[in-house]
Amino acid sequence: MNKTKVSIKDIAQKAGVSTALVSYVLNGKEKESRVGQEIALKIKQIASELNYQPSHLAKSLRSGKTHTIGLIIADISNPFFANIARVVEDEAKRHGYTVIIGSSDENADKSQDLLDVLINRQVDGFIIVSAENADQQIHYLNDKHIPFVLLDRYFPEIATNFVSTDHYQASYDAGTHLVRNRYKHIGMIAYDSQLFHMKERIRGYQDALRDNNITPHSSWLKEVRINTIASGVQKALDDMLSSDQPIDALLFATYSLAVSGLKYINKLGLTVPDELAIVSFGQAEVFELYYCPITYLKQPIVRLGQTAVDLLMKNLKNKSDEPAQILMKAELVERASSKTKKTLKT
């Protein structure tokens, strides 16, 4: 087998035409260059027979584009972000782009390092799930006119393209669902974070209670640090269950918090939902293995990923002064863990 790389010149010699003519055909410009259909077909057949592989470097130098996208996600071990990455990869491939993925591990410094590396790799644009305290990185991209789309998390004070779940409405819907199912002492465990999407989840939960004439107790909302999830969730549950108004239902603000919480609830011997109703923000296959199917807020993962790529493609072709800002509705999937509370007969 001949392992010598086939060039446009090789194809031109075999076809008996000029290298310019071959270049026009292989770059899809035969019509505008008025190349005959018969000779164009011959060139393509020869290229296929010789197993011609175009030089992406040469193509990039000519076009000024590398046809690569940098995708920075928060945590690749989280099923939500892993699934988002797969959707972005598939959609980008459909547009002829390759995705380079990096995980910031919820760390702004690591996010900055990834940005620097990918900018040096001359990616054409970015899709970013921002880490906390990464707002200056977003300002930098804006100032340098580097195309990007924020995914899932965004900064309301910065005019940028973003695609996100409507975190406020989703959390509001979860809180309202629990109230309608006769729960009165509804708690929430969230991350101790200044990220806007987390604040919106907390705000939605609080508004749902107030709008249903329930005054939130001070012990019902607990915020834990992301680097101490297990111990933080355990302490939060201990405090919520031992307060003078112990919770009878609980909304976890993320999948990771829910998994950690369910492990501890099992250790405490609490029965779901008879002793404690559960709703989780975000879906996970592990919920199917739990003895009581878990109610969860299903984020539109496929639509989020596809829309982020489509927005970036449009931005790469025609830069717009008006950013596109899209919020998508999460679906509340009702399962047994939050079924209507049994009331004592009098």
Side-chain angles (χ1 to χ4, degrees), residues 33-82:
S33 303
R34 298 182 179 180
V35 179
Q37 189 174 356
E38 186 177 338
I39 191 64
L41 181 60
K42 181 181 179 181
I43 289 169
K44 290 176 181 177
Q45 286 177 337
I46 292 171
S48 179
E49 290 167 5
L50 295 177
N51 193 27
Y52 170 72
Q53 300 294 324
S55 168
H56 293 293
L57 177 59
K59 191 174 181 180
S60 297
L61 290 172
R62 289 194 301 270
S63 66
K65 292 185 177 181
T66 60
H67 285 86
T68 55
I69 294 171
L71 171 62
I72 299 177
I73 55 179
D75 179 7
I76 195 64
S77 68
N78 186 311
F80 172 75
F81 296 120

Side-chain angles (χ1 to χ4, degrees), residues 11 41 50 154 218 233 254 275:
I11 299 170
L41 181 60
L50 295 177
Y154 60 98
S218 59
V233 167
T254 73
E275 294 179 277

Side-chain angles (χ1 to χ4, degrees), residues 321-338:
D321 293 331
E322 285 297 321
Q325 302 181 335
I326 300 170
L327 291 179
M328 296 183 179
K329 183 176 174 59
E331 175 191 359
L332 181 69
V333 180
E334 298 183 32
R335 311 290 291 280
S337 71
S338 63

Side-chain angles (χ1 to χ4, degrees), residues 205-224:
Y205 149 78
Q206 292 174 326
D207 283 357
L209 267 57
R210 294 191 186 101
D211 289 352
N212 285 282
N213 300 313
I214 295 176
T215 302
H217 192 274
S218 59
S219 69
W220 292 355
L221 173 64
K222 298 293 182 181
E223 298 175 67
V224 303

Side-chain angles (χ1 to χ4, degrees), residues 27-323:
N27 284 294
K29 297 180 179 179
E30 63 263 32
K31 288 185 179 179
E32 60 192 81
S33 303
R34 298 182 179 180
V35 179
Q37 189 174 356
E38 186 177 338
I39 191 64
L41 181 60
K42 181 181 179 181
I43 289 169
K44 290 176 181 177
Q45 286 177 337
I46 292 171
S48 179
E49 290 167 5
L50 295 177
N51 193 27
Y52 170 72
Q53 300 294 324
S55 168
H56 293 293
L57 177 59
K59 191 174 181 180
S60 297
L61 290 172
R62 289 194 301 270
S63 66
K65 292 185 177 181
T66 60
H67 285 86
T68 55
I69 294 171
L71 171 62
I72 299 177
I73 55 179
D75 179 7
I76 195 64
S77 68
N78 186 311
F80 172 75
F81 296 120
N83 288 328
I84 278 280
R86 171 55 64 88
V87 174
V88 168
E89 273 192 309
D90 290 345
E91 187 67 10
K93 185 177 181 181
R94 195 174 68 81
H95 288 276
Y97 278 74
T98 299
V99 178
I100 304 174
I101 303 172
S103 177
S104 71
D105 296 328
E106 301 285 5
N107 183 290
D109 289 337
K110 189 170 181 183
S111 175
Q112 182 64 63
D113 290 342
L114 288 168
L115 272 178
D116 292 340
V117 168
L118 292 170
I119 288 171
N120 286 334
R121 288 285 297 269
Q122 296 183 315
V123 297
D124 295 331
F126 286 94
I127 294 175
I128 302 171
V129 180
S130 295
E132 190 170 3
N133 300 317
D135 48 323
Q136 289 305 312
Q137 297 168 23
I138 307 307
H139 282 300
Y140 174 83
L141 292 173
N142 261 344
D143 292 343
K144 295 295 183 181
H145 304 291
I146 298 172
F148 69 95
V149 175
L150 297 183
L151 178 57
D152 185 56
R153 306 172 181 181
Y154 60 98
F155 302 90
E157 71 278 7
I158 307 176
T160 59
N161 292 299
F162 68 73
V163 183
S164 177
T165 302
D166 188 336
H167 298 283
Y168 171 86
Q169 188 61 52
S171 197
Y172 186 94
D173 291 345
T176 301
H177 162 73
L178 287 167
V179 173
R180 287 175 179 170
N181 283 3
R182 301 178 185 170
Y183 297 95
K184 302 297 182 184
H185 295 177
I186 302 167
M188 181 180 195
I189 298 181
Y191 283 133
D192 181 8
S193 170
Q194 293 304 309
L195 282 167
F196 183 68
H197 78 291
M198 189 56 60
K199 295 299 182 185
E200 285 292 270
R201 293 181 189 184
I202 293 171
R203 188 170 71 90
Y205 149 78
Q206 292 174 326
D207 283 357
L209 267 57
R210 294 191 186 101
D211 289 352
N212 285 282
N213 300 313
I214 295 176
T215 302
H217 192 274
S218 59
S219 69
W220 292 355
L221 173 64
K222 298 293 182 181
E223 298 175 67
V224 303
R225 294 300 301 171
I226 197 166
N227 56 346
T228 57
I229 292 177
S231 59
V233 167
Q234 288 181 22
K235 185 178 186 309
L237 276 165
D238 287 340
D239 291 347
M240 292 168 137
L241 293 166
S242 63
S243 75
D244 57 349
Q245 293 192 50
I247 58 171
D248 58 4
L250 181 57
L251 169 61
F252 288 103
T254 73
Y255 145 83
S256 298
L257 291 170
V259 171
S260 185
L262 289 170
K263 288 178 182 177
Y264 190 58
I265 288 166
N266 282 348
K267 187 177 179 181
L268 293 173
L270 295 175
T271 304
V272 177
D274 295 336
E275 294 179 277
L276 187 64
I278 301 293
V279 176
S280 169
F281 202 114
Q283 61 269 41
E285 289 183 6
V286 70
F287 291 162
E288 301 296 327
L289 304 176
Y290 198 67
Y291 72 87
C292 177
I294 303 298
T295 296
Y296 61 91
L297 290 156
K298 182 180 181 181
Q299 294 174 269
I301 290 175
V302 173
R303 288 176 55 224
L304 285 167
Q306 289 178 342
T307 305
V309 174
D310 290 345
L311 270 183
L312 183 59
M313 292 300 110
K314 289 177 183 176
N315 198 230
L316 288 171
K317 291 175 184 176
N318 301 298
K319 292 185 179 180
S320 173
D321 293 331
E322 285 297 321

